[in-house]
């Protein structure tokens, strides 16, 4: 059975791009969320195998969403996917429980590598 | 506004445009505006917050925006619909994020706000901070980068 992924990004373009990459690699998209609050709610209802999460989003950012999800499910697999590449944010994301940190723009192979490793961890 | 604040944005634009479209842009001459504004048809606005704050605006024609979106989506763009607008918006987001990463290496650690897109000619955004403007020339047309950033203490003083 293919692994189910929740895509979280406020940009329709990014959700569409990630969906193409992941579906092309036989992953199932469990759902999409446009902000951190939406992501937390969809994580509870959809119970995906992995969350691919942006950081800069309205309502609730990706770091806070990752902390909230991990507080409820310490085994949640979360990979951050953001344009922000500062060292301090990478450290903060890993502290929040992210298993990998992908910087946009990305090559499709980098996304598949990050998702594959996070699911195997 | 310090001139050194704009270079990270131009370098980031070169880097991101090359990665998402394969183009190798060049830059035009630097100019200064009293107000941060653009007369172009499509403008992406991204806020910068932190010890240095303000905004970055990326202005271009609808034709240029459509061509860049088509290259990013790897499909034809006839009208600038929600998906194409989102692609252009994400371009502004990525350029600003990469610029702030470059600023962070200089010890200026800032955050950015989610991007918004303004449509329409002669869009004017007034700020207290003068804008530095650099045209970036791509195979898709010109994109004008307007950067209005100042140290927070300076902004507070001027606003008071």
């Amino acid at each position: 059975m293919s692994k189910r992924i929740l895509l979280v990004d406020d940009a329709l373009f990014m959700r569409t791009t990630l969906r193409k990459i992941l579906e092309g690699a036989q992953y199932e998209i469990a759902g999409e969320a446009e902000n951190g609050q939406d992501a937390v709610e969809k994580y509870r209802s959809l119970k995906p195998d992995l969350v691919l999460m942006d950081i800069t989003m309205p309502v609730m950012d990706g770091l806070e969403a990752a902390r909230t999800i991990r507080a409820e499910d310490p085994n949640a697999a979360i990979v951050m996917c953001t344009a922000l590449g500062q060292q301090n944010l990478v450290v903060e994301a890993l502290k929040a429980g992210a298993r990998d940190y992908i910087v946009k723009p990305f090559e499709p192979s980098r996304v598949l590598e990050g998702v594959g490793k996070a699911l195997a961890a | 506004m310090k001139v050194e604040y704009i270079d990270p944005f131009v370098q980031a634009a070169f880097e991101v445009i090359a990665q998402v479209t394969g183009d190798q842009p060049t830059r035009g001459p630097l100019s200064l505006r009293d107000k941060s504004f653009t007369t172009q048809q499509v403008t992406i606005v991204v806020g910068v917050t932190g010890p240095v704050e303000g905004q970055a605006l990326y202005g271009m024609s609808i034709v240029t925006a459509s061509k860049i979106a088509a290259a990013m989506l790897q499909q034809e763009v006839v009208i600038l619909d929600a998906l194409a607008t989102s692609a252009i918006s994400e371009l502004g987001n990525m350029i600003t994020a990469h610029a702030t990463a470059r600023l962070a290496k200089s010890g200026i650690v800032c955050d950015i706000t989610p991007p918004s897109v303004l449509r329409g000619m002669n869009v004017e955004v007034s700020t207290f901070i003068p804008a530095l403007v650099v045209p970036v020339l791509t195979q898709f047309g010109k994109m004008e980068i307007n950067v209005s950033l100042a140290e927070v203490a300076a902004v507070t003083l001027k606003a008071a």
Side-chain angles (χ1 to χ4, degrees):
Chain A
M1 202 173 99
S2 59
K3 296 288 186 182
R4 299 166 63 251
I5 298 173
L6 174 61
L7 296 179
V8 187
D9 200 304
D10 57 332
L12 172 63
F13 162 73
M14 201 47 73
R15 297 197 305 276
T16 305
T17 302
L18 289 168
R19 176 183 279 274
K20 274 186 198 166
I21 294 169
L22 293 165
E23 286 184 340
Q26 309 307 315
Y27 289 106
E28 182 188 338
I29 304 305
E32 297 184 7
E34 296 183 19
N35 62 63
Q37 183 63 48
D38 194 16
V40 171
E41 287 162 14
K42 288 206 166 121
Y43 186 85
R44 289 173 187 146
S45 61
L46 298 171
K47 299 183 172 41
D49 296 300
L50 182 136
V51 184
L52 197 51
M53 179 103 77
D54 187 17
I55 289 184
T56 308
M57 294 184 288
V59 185
M60 180 193 287
D61 70 34
L63 290 173
E64 192 179 343
R67 285 187 206 102
T68 307
I69 289 171
R70 292 273 296 187
E72 293 180 14
D73 178 3
N75 295 319
I78 301 171
V79 171
M80 306 312 284
C81 183
T82 173
L84 296 164
Q86 291 96 311
Q87 190 64 33
N88 63 313
L89 275 176
V90 177
V91 171
E92 208 176 325
L94 297 177
K95 278 184 185 169
R99 293 188 185 174
D100 202 349
Y101 193 103
I102 299 167
V103 179
K104 302 172 190 171
F106 46 68
E107 291 295 327
S109 58
R110 174 69 185 94
V111 175
L112 295 175
E113 179 205 0
V115 166
K117 282 186 180 170
L119 283 167
Chain B
M1 171 164 155
K2 293 180 182 173
V3 173
E4 58 261 38
Y5 291 154
I6 189 140
D7 202 47
F9 287 83
V10 177
Q11 293 305 321
F14 283 5
E15 180 182 287
V16 172
I17 290 169
Q19 274 185 267
V20 300
T21 70
D23 189 35
Q24 299 292 332
T26 56
R27 66 180 286 171
L30 174 72
S31 59
L32 180 69
R33 283 182 181 151
D34 282 340
K35 288 179 179 177
S36 178
F37 77 102
T38 177
T39 56
Q40 303 224 24
Q41 294 167 318
V42 179
T43 303
I44 313 152
V45 183
V46 186
V48 176
T49 60
V52 167
E53 67 177 34
Q55 61 210 174
L57 283 76
Y58 307 89
M60 66 199 84
S61 69
I62 288 177
V63 171
T64 298
S66 301
K67 286 180 180 174
I68 292 176
M72 291 176 74
L73 289 160
Q74 298 180 333
Q75 65 187 49
E76 194 181 3
V77 171
V78 180
I79 55 163
L80 209 57
D81 61 5
L83 182 59
T85 302
S86 173
I88 288 299
S89 175
E90 190 60 23
L91 179 76
N93 179 50
M94 289 190 284
I95 293 172
T96 313
H98 282 237
T100 55
R102 286 170 181 270
L103 286 170
K105 285 180 185 166
S106 315
I108 304 165
V109 180
C110 296
D111 200 358
I112 66 171
T113 64
S116 51
V117 178
L118 306 175
R119 297 277 296 268
M121 291 290 285
N122 299 312
V123 173
E124 183 168 317
V125 180
S126 301
T127 68
F128 290 105
I129 312 157
L132 285 173
V133 185
V134 171
V136 169
L137 312 168
T138 76
Q139 67 176 25
F140 314 106
K142 184 175 76 173
M143 180 176 79
E144 199 177 68
I145 303 179
N146 295 248
V147 178
S148 319
L149 291 180
E151 290 165 24
V152 169
V155 174
T156 308
L157 191 66
K158 270 196 157 178

